[in-house]
Structure formats: structure tokens, C-alpha cells
């Protein structure tokens, strides 16, 4: 019979977004999570922006492209997605027969929220001759309205796969879209969306940091505003930024993306210095508040009790899968991912 604490937490799940159950502070969560992985044939997929403890218990850590591929080929029965809602949705789209868990359902995404389905449907209908390429940071409903999905790792190759002269709608990130439009020279109509973390980096403060650390290279994610990208020594996806710091002979970097990636950068290059690019105000806005809703405790609880679970209408799942499969196929052919 279900215990009272679990029954109460279930009843509040819609409101809280996670199982609000007190844990024994003596419990070794790292050990318990490893036990649950074995017992339930579960895998933990974590984005680079998760807190260090979650990255350390994950079976796979990556950016959106790597996570999509890992979700597509896993043999696990249970996928615990330590990331945000659209990422767990993507895993469910690719794995209808598997249980997909998200530690906190409130872990949303400001960029995904910037493209509501109905206004986007009308926008698409107003431009019927355009091919729709949507960044993976969007809801299942937007994916279902798209022709091809892309990530920041493969976006250039995805755009190049569309015949020259074919007009494109790019959604939802206007900053990534503007960067790609400039880089590819393609005719792209941009949806007016943005990521709250990448929009708030301060060019003035980065410039001051450069004066204090003249040896440091500025590396930036293409979701940043153009003014920040103009001063960057290297622009790339989260994985590309990580690889750059591993291979580059430099010893110091100002990193203009979410701070979670610094954990992996420091682990891979312990003798190098990594400085988070400062936001325009004094808050920790270069931490994604949605990504950071997930905690080790919530990961354990969702694995122990199998909640919160991502569920989806089958018709929506099927429609949303087609553009993801196209992305994976194009990426494979371009040599960006394995078979």
C-alpha cells in the first residue's frame, strides 16, 4: 500500500512539479542512484548545464544533438532526463515504449516558451512556401509543425541540406537564426524568440574582463546576441566550446554560455582557467533557473517512484518525430554523428 508521504506528494505533483518527499540526510544518494540504475535498467542523460553532482552520476552528458542521439539508441527501459522539459519530450518522441522521467516538470525553457503553438501555426500558414527549420529547443507542438529540427551543432549542415533559393523559416531563436543567416547567406525568416540566459551577457562587462585578463579568449554560444558574438574568439555549440578548450593552446577563457559547462571544462583541462561571462545585472542570470531546478535529490526520487513521467498523445509524438528523424539522418550523412 502506498505510504502517506508518497500519496501526499503525488497529490501535489501538478502544483510542485516534483515529488516533495523528505529524505534521510544520511542516505548516500550517489550509491542509491547507482542501485536504481541496475534494478530498473535505467539510464541518466544529462545536459552540460546541470549541476556538477548530476553530471557526475549521469551515464551520458552532452548537448542537444548528442542527447537526442543517445536517447534514440539507448537499450534502457527507463530514461531519466536531467535537463529541461523539451529535452525529455524529445526522448519520449524517440522512445514511445520506454518510461521517460523528468526530475522536475517545472524545468521549462524560456526559449521554448517564446514560441507558442497557435501563433506559430498562423505564422507558418502566412508563409506557405517556406521550409520550417526549428531549433530543438522548442515544444513537441512546434516540432510537429516543422520540416526539420536542428541543434546548434548541426544547424549549418541542416540549412545547407535545403536547396538553394528555397526560403526558410527559422525558429524559435532569433539570435542563432541571425548568426546562421549571416554565416550561410541563406534567405531566412526569423521567429522572434530568445534564450533568457544567452541574451543577458554584458558586452561592457566582458570587455572589462578582457582588459583584466588579456590572455583570455572569449568563447560564445551562437544563442548570444550579435554584439557579444562580434568580440568572440570562437563561436560554437556547447560541445564545440568544450572541445575547443581541450585542443586550443590557450590557458584562459571567458565563457559566454550557461555556467554548467565549466564543470566539464575544468575536469577536462584542470590547469586552465575558465571565467564565466558576466550578465548585465548582479544576479546569477548566466545560470539557467530552469536547468538548475533539477537536483540530485529529485533525480533519486523520480527514479525510486517512477514520477514525474513524460506522457504524450501518440498523434503528436508521430508528427514530432518526423523532423527529428530528418535531422538525425542529415547529421549522420554529414558525419556529425555515428550510425
Amino acid at each position: 500500500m502506498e505510504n502517506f508521504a508518497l500519496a501526499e506528494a503525488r497529490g501535489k505533483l501538478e502544483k510542485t512539479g516534483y515529488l516533495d518527499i523528505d529524505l534521510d540526510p544520511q542516505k548516500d544518494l550517489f550509491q542509491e542512484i547507482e542501485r536504481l540504475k541496475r534494478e530498473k535498467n535505467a539510464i541518466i542523460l544529462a545536459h552540460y548545464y546541470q549541476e556538477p553532482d548530476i553530471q557526475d552520476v549521469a551515464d551520458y552528458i552532452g548537448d542537444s544533438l548528442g542527447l537526442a542521439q543517445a536517447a534514440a539508441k539507448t537499450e534502457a527501459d527507463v530514461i531519466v532526463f536531467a535537463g529541461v522539459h523539451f529535452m525529455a519530450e524529445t526522448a519520449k518522441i524517440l522512445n514511445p515504449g520506454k518510461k521517460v522521467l523528468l526530475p522536475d516538470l517545472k524545468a521549462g525553457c524560456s526559449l521554448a516558451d517564446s514560441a507558442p503553438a497557435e501563433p506559430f501555426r498562423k505564422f507558418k500558414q502566412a508563409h506557405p512556401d517556406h521550409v520550417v527549420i526549428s531549433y530543438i529547443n522548442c515544444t513537441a507542438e512546434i516540432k510537429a509543425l516543422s520540416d526539420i529540427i536542428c541543434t546548434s551543432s548541426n544547424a549549418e549542415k541542416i540549412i545547407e541540406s535545403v536547396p538553394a533559393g528555397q526560403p526558410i523559416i527559422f525558429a524559435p531563436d532569433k539570435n542563432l537564426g541571425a548568426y546562421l543567416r549571416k554565416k550561410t547567406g541563406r534567405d531566412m525568416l526569423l521567429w522572434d524568440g530568445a534564450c533568457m540566459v544567452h541574451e543577458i551577457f554584458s558586452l561592457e562587462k566582458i570587455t572589462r574582463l578582457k582588459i583584466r585578463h588579456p590572455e583570455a579568449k572569449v568563447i560564445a554560444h551562437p544563442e548570444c546576441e550579435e554584439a557579444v558574438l562580434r568580440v568572440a574568439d570562437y563561436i560554437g555549440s556547447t560541445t564545440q566550446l568544450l572541445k575547443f578548450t581541450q585542443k586550443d593552446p590557450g590557458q584562459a577563457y571567458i565563457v559566454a554560455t550557461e555556467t554548467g559547462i565549466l564543470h566539464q571544462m575544468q575536469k577536462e583541462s584542470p590547469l586552465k582557467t575558465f571565467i564565466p561571462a558576466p550578465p548585465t545585472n548582479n544576479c546569477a542570470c548566466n545560470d539557467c533557473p530552469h536547468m538548475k531546478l533539477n537536483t540530485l535529490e529529485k533525480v533519486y526520487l523520480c527514479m525510486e517512484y517512477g514520477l514525474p513521467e513524460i506522457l504524450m498523445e501518440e498523434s503528436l509524438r508521430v508528427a514530432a518525430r518526423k523532423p527529428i528523424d530528418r535531422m538525425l539522418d542529415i547529421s549522420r550523412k554529414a558525419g556529425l554523428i555515428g550510425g
Side-chain angles (χ1 to χ4, degrees), residues 49-69:
Y49 297 167
Q50 292 295 286
E51 64 173 45
D53 281 351
I54 292 177
Q55 292 187 41
D56 289 344
V57 297
D59 299 286
Y60 180 86
I61 310 163
D63 62 6
S64 297
L65 177 59
L67 289 166
Q69 190 194 18

Short mmCIF file of all heavy atoms in Angstrom, two decimals, residues 49-69:
data_model
loop_
_atom_site.label_atom_id
_atom_site.label_comp_id
_atom_site.label_asym_id
_atom_site.label_seq_id
_atom_site.Cartn_x
_atom_site.Cartn_y
_atom_site.Cartn_z
N TYR A 49 24.45 21.70 -18.75
CA TYR A 49 24.08 22.81 -17.88
C TYR A 49 23.55 22.35 -16.52
O TYR A 49 23.16 23.18 -15.70
CB TYR A 49 23.02 23.68 -18.56
CG TYR A 49 23.45 24.37 -19.84
CD1 TYR A 49 22.52 24.96 -20.69
CD2 TYR A 49 24.79 24.44 -20.20
CE1 TYR A 49 22.89 25.59 -21.86
CE2 TYR A 49 25.19 25.07 -21.38
CZ TYR A 49 24.23 25.63 -22.21
OH TYR A 49 24.60 26.26 -23.37
N GLN A 50 23.53 21.04 -16.28
CA GLN A 50 23.09 20.54 -14.99
C GLN A 50 24.15 20.78 -13.91
O GLN A 50 25.33 20.99 -14.21
CB GLN A 50 22.77 19.05 -15.08
CG GLN A 50 21.57 18.72 -15.93
CD GLN A 50 20.28 19.27 -15.34
OE1 GLN A 50 19.76 18.76 -14.36
NE2 GLN A 50 19.76 20.32 -15.95
N GLU A 51 23.71 20.73 -12.64
CA GLU A 51 24.66 20.94 -11.55
C GLU A 51 25.71 19.82 -11.55
O GLU A 51 25.45 18.70 -12.04
CB GLU A 51 23.93 21.01 -10.21
CG GLU A 51 23.22 19.72 -9.82
CD GLU A 51 22.66 19.77 -8.40
OE1 GLU A 51 22.04 20.76 -8.03
OE2 GLU A 51 22.84 18.77 -7.70
N PRO A 52 26.92 20.08 -11.03
CA PRO A 52 28.02 19.11 -11.09
C PRO A 52 27.67 17.72 -10.55
O PRO A 52 28.06 16.71 -11.15
CB PRO A 52 29.12 19.77 -10.27
CG PRO A 52 28.89 21.23 -10.46
CD PRO A 52 27.39 21.39 -10.51
N ASP A 53 26.94 17.63 -9.43
CA ASP A 53 26.60 16.31 -8.86
C ASP A 53 25.80 15.47 -9.86
O ASP A 53 26.01 14.25 -9.97
CB ASP A 53 25.78 16.47 -7.57
CG ASP A 53 26.66 16.81 -6.37
OD1 ASP A 53 27.90 16.75 -6.51
OD2 ASP A 53 26.11 17.15 -5.31
N ILE A 54 24.88 16.10 -10.57
CA ILE A 54 24.07 15.36 -11.54
C ILE A 54 24.94 14.93 -12.73
O ILE A 54 24.83 13.80 -13.21
CB ILE A 54 22.86 16.21 -12.01
CG1 ILE A 54 21.88 16.39 -10.85
CG2 ILE A 54 22.17 15.56 -13.20
CD1 ILE A 54 20.68 17.28 -11.16
N GLN A 55 25.82 15.82 -13.17
CA GLN A 55 26.72 15.44 -14.25
C GLN A 55 27.57 14.23 -13.85
O GLN A 55 27.84 13.33 -14.66
CB GLN A 55 27.64 16.61 -14.62
CG GLN A 55 26.91 17.78 -15.28
CD GLN A 55 27.87 18.85 -15.79
OE1 GLN A 55 28.92 18.53 -16.35
NE2 GLN A 55 27.52 20.11 -15.60
N ASP A 56 27.95 14.18 -12.57
CA ASP A 56 28.83 13.10 -12.11
C ASP A 56 28.13 11.75 -11.99
O ASP A 56 28.79 10.71 -11.99
CB ASP A 56 29.48 13.49 -10.77
CG ASP A 56 30.51 14.61 -10.93
OD1 ASP A 56 30.94 14.86 -12.08
OD2 ASP A 56 30.89 15.23 -9.92
N VAL A 57 26.79 11.74 -11.87
CA VAL A 57 26.08 10.44 -11.81
C VAL A 57 25.49 10.05 -13.16
O VAL A 57 24.97 8.96 -13.32
CB VAL A 57 24.93 10.44 -10.76
CG1 VAL A 57 25.47 10.65 -9.36
CG2 VAL A 57 23.83 11.45 -11.10
N ALA A 58 25.60 10.94 -14.13
CA ALA A 58 24.99 10.68 -15.45
C ALA A 58 25.76 9.60 -16.21
O ALA A 58 26.97 9.45 -16.08
CB ALA A 58 24.95 11.96 -16.26
N ASP A 59 25.01 8.86 -17.03
CA ASP A 59 25.63 7.86 -17.91
C ASP A 59 26.09 8.51 -19.21
O ASP A 59 26.98 8.01 -19.88
CB ASP A 59 24.62 6.75 -18.23
CG ASP A 59 24.17 6.04 -16.97
OD1 ASP A 59 24.97 5.25 -16.44
OD2 ASP A 59 23.05 6.31 -16.50
N TYR A 60 25.44 9.61 -19.55
CA TYR A 60 25.82 10.34 -20.76
C TYR A 60 25.59 11.82 -20.49
O TYR A 60 24.55 12.21 -19.98
CB TYR A 60 25.00 9.90 -21.98
CG TYR A 60 25.38 10.66 -23.23
CD1 TYR A 60 26.42 10.22 -24.04
CD2 TYR A 60 24.73 11.84 -23.57
CE1 TYR A 60 26.81 10.95 -25.16
CE2 TYR A 60 25.11 12.57 -24.70
CZ TYR A 60 26.15 12.11 -25.48
OH TYR A 60 26.54 12.82 -26.58
N ILE A 61 26.60 12.63 -20.82
CA ILE A 61 26.49 14.08 -20.69
C ILE A 61 26.71 14.67 -22.08
O ILE A 61 27.64 14.27 -22.78
CB ILE A 61 27.57 14.66 -19.74
CG1 ILE A 61 27.59 13.90 -18.42
CG2 ILE A 61 27.33 16.14 -19.47
CD1 ILE A 61 28.85 14.12 -17.61
N GLY A 62 25.87 15.61 -22.49
CA GLY A 62 26.06 16.16 -23.81
C GLY A 62 25.23 17.39 -24.07
O GLY A 62 24.53 17.89 -23.19
N ASP A 63 25.32 17.88 -25.31
CA ASP A 63 24.46 18.97 -25.75
C ASP A 63 23.24 18.37 -26.43
O ASP A 63 23.05 17.14 -26.44
CB ASP A 63 25.22 19.95 -26.65
CG ASP A 63 25.74 19.31 -27.94
OD1 ASP A 63 25.41 18.14 -28.21
OD2 ASP A 63 26.47 20.00 -28.68
N SER A 64 22.41 19.20 -27.02
CA SER A 64 21.12 18.73 -27.53
C SER A 64 21.26 17.65 -28.61
O SER A 64 20.50 16.69 -28.63
CB SER A 64 20.31 19.91 -28.08
OG SER A 64 20.03 20.82 -27.05
N LEU A 65 22.25 17.79 -29.50
CA LEU A 65 22.42 16.79 -30.56
C LEU A 65 22.86 15.46 -29.98
O LEU A 65 22.29 14.41 -30.28
CB LEU A 65 23.45 17.28 -31.60
CG LEU A 65 23.77 16.28 -32.72
CD1 LEU A 65 22.51 15.89 -33.50
CD2 LEU A 65 24.82 16.83 -33.67
N GLY A 66 23.88 15.50 -29.12
CA GLY A 66 24.36 14.26 -28.51
C GLY A 66 23.30 13.57 -27.67
O GLY A 66 23.15 12.34 -27.70
N LEU A 67 22.52 14.37 -26.94
CA LEU A 67 21.46 13.80 -26.10
C LEU A 67 20.36 13.17 -26.94
O LEU A 67 19.82 12.11 -26.61
CB LEU A 67 20.87 14.89 -25.19
CG LEU A 67 21.81 15.36 -24.06
CD1 LEU A 67 21.29 16.65 -23.45
CD2 LEU A 67 21.98 14.29 -22.99
N ALA A 68 20.01 13.81 -28.06
CA ALA A 68 18.99 13.25 -28.95
C ALA A 68 19.46 11.92 -29.51
O ALA A 68 18.69 10.95 -29.59
CB ALA A 68 18.68 14.22 -30.08
N GLN A 69 20.73 11.85 -29.89
CA GLN A 69 21.26 10.60 -30.43
C GLN A 69 21.31 9.52 -29.35
O GLN A 69 20.96 8.36 -29.59
CB GLN A 69 22.65 10.80 -31.03
CG GLN A 69 23.12 9.57 -31.82
CD GLN A 69 24.60 9.57 -32.14
OE1 GLN A 69 25.36 10.30 -31.52
NE2 GLN A 69 24.99 8.75 -33.08
#
